[in-house]
Amino acid sequence: MLLAIDLFVARGRNGEMTLRFATVASIVWVGVSFAFFGVLLAFGDSEDAGAYLAGYLVEKSLSLDNVFVFLLVFTAFQVPMAERHRLLTYGIVGALVLRLVFILVGAAALSTFSWLNYVFAAFLVYTGYKMFKHRNDHEGEQQLVDKLSARLPITEDAPDGKLVVRRDGKTLLTVGGAALAAIAVVDLIFAIDSVPAILAITTDSFIVFAANAFALLGLRPLFFLVADLVERLYYLKTALAALLVFIGAKMAIAQIAGKIGPEISLPIIAAILGVGVVASLVRDRRMVAA
């Protein structure tokens, strides 16, 4: 229902979104997400509420990279601004569906095969290492988009709004269709990256999906802020890399010494992200002053 409201508001504005509206909408959706945390805290279990908040912070932070790759896709395929809203809608819905599938499969696999916790932990630490190597650039994301744009069969001569057309007996993607296909690949890759991160915090499927769903709400207004945000949040990737390594280590330690509850992991997650944001803002202010 909340996703429908998000989509309806944008449609009511004829697909247009000013920087001011995008900022306000992003703040509102963050507020709604924290309100859900309050509901869990008031009427549910405090441990579940803590796990939800920790998972939400992780997923929301990772979604910044997700949205930046969407921006790279639209730029590479030269998607008109008026078309981007519709493709973003498909991308967000696709991300929700993929993550639901990954959550259900991942949670079931972890409960059945406990040794998979070590595999997930190693994967998270390795992903954090790779992110740290490219902490000050977006070379990996750009290479992915370049490969996709080179391999997809695209025709630029197509009616507006069409995603697929037939030419000389061949099925070709329009610019919008190719961009959507690329976004689907990006959704899949980010689901593989992000779902293990939150399953390391809790394997409760409802809490995991709620954290993912609320993190994806407001992704469209965030898209119109992300180019500026990415430049300002210079140390965000460093913080995310440290975060993934911590979560991976936490997952492995839990198998040896017992579960680490959200009362410990939540402050650490918040501290890592907070240090990254504050350090970025300090750097940005110094750059402006210089």
Side-chain angles (χ1 to χ4, degrees):
M1 186 180 73
L2 289 175
L3 178 61
I5 292 172
D6 185 22
L7 303 183
F8 176 78
V9 169
R11 179 177 293 182
R13 298 176 64 86
N14 297 319
E16 297 179 4
M17 192 171 294
T18 63
L19 186 62
R20 181 176 180 275
F21 179 83
T23 303
V24 172
S26 297
I27 293 172
V28 167
W29 283 121
V30 170
V32 170
S33 303
F34 275 88
F36 184 74
F37 164 71
V39 171
L40 286 178
L41 198 60
F43 300 102
D45 185 270
S46 60
E47 185 173 342
D48 286 344
Y52 159 78
L53 185 57
Y56 170 76
L57 290 175
V58 171
E59 295 300 326
K60 195 67 175 178
S61 302
L62 289 172
S63 71
L64 282 174
D65 247 8
N66 203 156
V67 174
F68 180 75
V69 179
F70 284 1
L71 179 62
L72 290 179
V73 167
F74 290 147
T75 302
F77 289 97
Q78 298 180 338
V79 178
M81 190 63 68
E83 185 77 359
R84 295 184 180 190
H85 273 282
R86 184 167 68 108
L87 297 181
L88 276 172
T89 299
Y90 295 151
I92 293 168
V93 173
L96 274 172
V97 172
L98 279 173
R99 292 186 187 197
L100 176 59
V101 172
F102 273 65
I103 288 164
L104 294 176
V105 172
L110 287 174
S111 64
T112 305
F113 307 104
S114 61
W115 56 266
L116 280 176
N117 284 278
Y118 294 109
V119 176
F120 277 33
F123 174 76
L124 289 170
V125 171
Y126 177 66
T127 303
Y129 166 72
K130 285 199 304 179
M131 187 174 286
F132 183 77
K133 280 183 65 177
H134 296 284
R135 61 192 178 280
N136 297 328
D137 63 65
H138 296 281
E139 182 180 335
E141 293 95 329
Q142 188 63 62
Q143 287 177 352
L144 170 65
V145 173
D146 290 344
K147 287 179 182 178
L148 290 172
S149 61
R151 293 179 181 179
L152 291 170
I154 305 171
T155 177
E156 296 182 4
D157 179 24
D160 292 339
K162 291 284 187 180
L163 299 177
V164 178
V165 294
R166 296 283 294 177
R167 291 282 188 274
D168 300 324
K170 296 181 179 179
T171 300
L172 299 174
L173 297 171
T174 65
V175 169
L180 183 59
I183 285 175
V185 174
V186 170
D187 280 341
L188 178 61
I189 292 171
F190 274 93
I192 293 171
D193 283 347
S194 68
V195 170
I198 193 169
L199 285 175
I201 297 171
T202 177
T203 54
D204 185 311
S205 298
F206 172 74
I207 298 298
V208 173
F209 183 70
N212 269 276
F214 278 103
L216 290 173
L217 280 174
L219 210 60
R220 292 196 306 171
L222 187 62
F223 171 83
F224 293 92
L225 300 175
V226 76
D228 183 58
L229 280 174
V230 168
E231 292 302 319
R232 290 175 179 269
L233 299 179
Y234 184 78
Y235 295 112
L236 176 65
K237 271 201 166 185
T238 303
L240 288 176
L243 187 61
L244 291 176
V245 171
F246 163 70
I247 293 173
K250 170 186 175 296
M251 197 173 197
I253 291 170
Q255 290 299 110
I256 300 170
K259 181 181 177 181
I260 300 173
E263 69 279 0
I264 296 175
S265 59
L266 179 56
I268 295 175
I269 289 170
I272 292 172
L273 293 174
V275 168
V277 171
V278 170
S280 298
L281 295 178
V282 170
R283 177 186 180 275
D284 184 62
R285 180 169 293 185
R286 286 179 178 174
M287 294 286 288
V288 171

